[in-house]
Amino acid sequence: MADGRPAGRGLETEAQYLKGVGPQGAMILRRLGLETVRDVLWHFPRRFEDRRNLPPIMMAQPGRPATLRGVVVQVESRPLRGGKKLVRVRIEDDTGVADLVWFNQPWLAKRFQHGQEVIAYGMVKEARGRLEVSAPEFELMEDEEDVEDFAKIVPVYPLKEGVGQLLVRRAAAAAAEHFAGQADDPVPESIRGRFQLPSLAWSLRSMHLPAELHDHDRARRRIAFDEFLVLQLELQIRRRMLQKEVGISFPISNLGADDRPPTTLFDSAEPTEGLWPEIHRILPFELTRAQTRVIGEVFADMERPVPMNRLVQGDVGSGKTAVAACAILAAVRCGYQAALMAPTEILAEQHAANLTRLFDPIGIPVVMLSGRLNARQKRRALELAASGEGRLCVGTHALVQEGVVFHRLGLAVIDEQHRFGVLQRATLRSKGLGNPDVLVMTATPIPRTMTMAVHGDLDVSVIDELPPGRRPIKTHWRTPDRRDDVYARVDGLLEEGRQAYIVCPMIAESDKMQAQAAEELYNRLRTTIYTHRRVGLLHGQMKPAEKDAVMDAFRRHDLDILVSTVVIEVGVDVPNATVMIIEDAERFGLAQLHQLRGRVGRGAHQSFCILISEGRSEESQARLKVMVETTDGFRIAEEDLRLRGPGDVAGTRQSGALDFRVADLVRDSVMLEKAREAAGMLLDDDPQLELPQHQALLDMVRSKRTEDSSIAIS
Ligand code: ADP
Ligand code: MG
């Protein structure tokens, strides 16, 4: 190679051989984890400075960044009050003068000489009638070429203590200039052409040295595409593998028909009427159209001989439990057992209670695997699961996965509520639960883009309709000074026979402090505002039996008001409770507010939610406004994603699957779509990415997989 770099190692060349870096520079770059040229190329700028605005000094506009050039006419260095030191360098051109000023960098004064030509970039201000640029970036000029080098679009890199911007910039420029062209493109020409993607070489160069800012945008989208593509390939490969596995083909359509195949097991439990008639007979309501459609999709999956892997999304209150119940009934009527796993004990118990009410009358035994069972009860429950007599087993994820042996498990329903998780099929299998059909229910609501990114290996059904007769909850935001007014309005509803939730502020410190706060609020309300009402208290520090007693009392309407911490977030269904006050609402995430609010609006009466909050920051005002304006969980989730970024939404933080370098689920959703389509096309041609031209892609998928075990689960 021309400038004496060791040839042949391409992007694996050590960073020290980059022009202007050397062994010293390489040592410093190592602090950023940059060892090779490849590392440097993939260390992308945080932003750019556009220094091309190069006005004559007199024309520079205060309030705008500009590049100024001129001759040094005065250098001043002096201490200021408070021990600071000031350096002021006055420069002049044909039109005027401007001051370059620095604080606490006295050594800079020595670098400037009278008559020296200087070029400097920074925010222009007006101070005492003179133009001033504080702490500008600058260069001492030798010839006109320096202007070109300086007054251009300049990348600004993320740094660490002790690493200078200039070094990184120099290294990156050299890498982009001399090496980017050697980057092998993992994305085949055909895909690039089809989706109008620039080459990787061009993109890497333009990430660092864009000719125009829109070139950088285009390059960034290409890199984002690659990141999405790797994830999509991983998910789709997994999905295709699953489709080759042997699962159970439930003979659902044959149920009730005369020629139905004899099942070896439990034949006495077989109905004769067929599944749909039985469903209509046992459910206390008519299914919505959306529920019926989703149940149909689930049944179709169950009939197919490949294992079902379906995600049912439905907003709070959309009736996911009924869908799960139908799938469970189908599995049981076909001669199999079913398991339902919930994220919390409260929720597991609520499911067990609801499903027992439904299934008991038709002779289907429901077994609850609760952490609260004593040793004898637990042994009995395990026996029922192992013998097959327990047709449906309900418990928490942990309980069902630990140590339960089933006789013939056909269906696992996983209720994740809004907790985000990646389907744990392999976990099921490794726990000896066989290869059952899996149905995941989530109320997340996960934004559609995120669903695609994270659950790309699942089939998705959406219950996009609420049961009839529901009136949208009316939500209001009130500042704390109007609390008394709010209390009075709530009292009016209590007078009409309704019930209320009052949710305490979220205190991050500890459960204990949370409980204390709830207790204080409870005592205050009980002894001042609501002396004439029956007030109950619920928090996470109470014993399970105490919690049950309080919940039962509220359910029976022996309490008018339930003061509570967020423990009511899941698993409470009291249709007569029609109003909820949420204290200090801005402390809650949007998804969480939506879940909380979903506890009201479950009956025929008009329901209300009152968010009490100062709305201190603009962001919290924006979030409160979203809550007031919409009850659509998907819109809320999308706003949440937009306002807070994917890391915080729906607890996805633990999922490394969404740690992208440049890709942004909101901004780059178009690229995500493209990547999904591209992954499908690639795998249609080459299902295992075995062709030599796909080797680089396969390597990327593999390294993603080892980097991030959470997406390699199933
Ligand atoms: P989700 O789990 O989706 O939040 P649930 O399954 O708990 O919702 O259902 C919410 C409430 O709506 C429950 O009280 C349930 O009995 C009721 N429900 C479900 N489906 C219907 C329907 N089709 N018609 C009327 N009520 C329904
Ligand atoms: Mg539910």
Side-chain angles (χ1 to χ4, degrees), residues 65 73 99 111 155 167 206 218 239 264 266 290 325 391 403 407 455 524 528 539 594 624 699:
V73 292
D99 285 349
R111 296 198 52 192
L167 173 68
S206 302
R218 184 150 186 256
R239 180 192 166 90
T264 50
F266 317 123
R391 307 301 295 273
H407 179 69
H455 290 303
R524 186 152 48 79
T528 58
H539 62 67
H594 182 64
L624 293 165
D699 290 345

Side-chain angles (χ1 to χ4, degrees), residues 77 296 576:
S77 175
N576 190 48

Side-chain angles (χ1 to χ4, degrees), residues 585-613:
E586 68 186 76
R587 296 232 202 169
F588 296 91
L590 274 187
Q592 200 168 22
L593 285 175
H594 182 64
Q595 288 291 328
L596 278 170
R597 182 171 62 179
R599 300 304 112 201
V600 297
R602 304 194 140 236
H605 296 284
Q606 176 63 56
S607 286
F608 303 89
C609 176
I610 297 126
L611 307 170
I612 306 230
S613 170

Side-chain angles (χ1 to χ4, degrees), residues 15-47:
Q16 63 162 318
Y17 297 110
L18 286 167
K19 193 171 160 206
V21 174
Q24 294 265 301
M27 245 159 61
I28 297 173
L29 288 179
R30 218 163 282 151
R31 291 189 202 161
L32 289 174
L34 310 179
E35 306 261 355
T36 65
V37 168
R38 177 186 301 282
D39 297 336
V40 173
L41 278 176
W42 260 269
H43 186 69
F44 297 129
R46 198 155 38 84
R47 61 185 177 85

Side-chain angles (χ1 to χ4, degrees), residues 317 319-321 347 350-351 415 417 441 443 571 599 602:
K320 290 180 293 297
T321 314
L347 198 57
Q350 169 137 342
H351 277 310
D415 185 357
Q417 269 325 61
M441 303 194 291
R599 300 304 112 201
R602 304 194 140 236

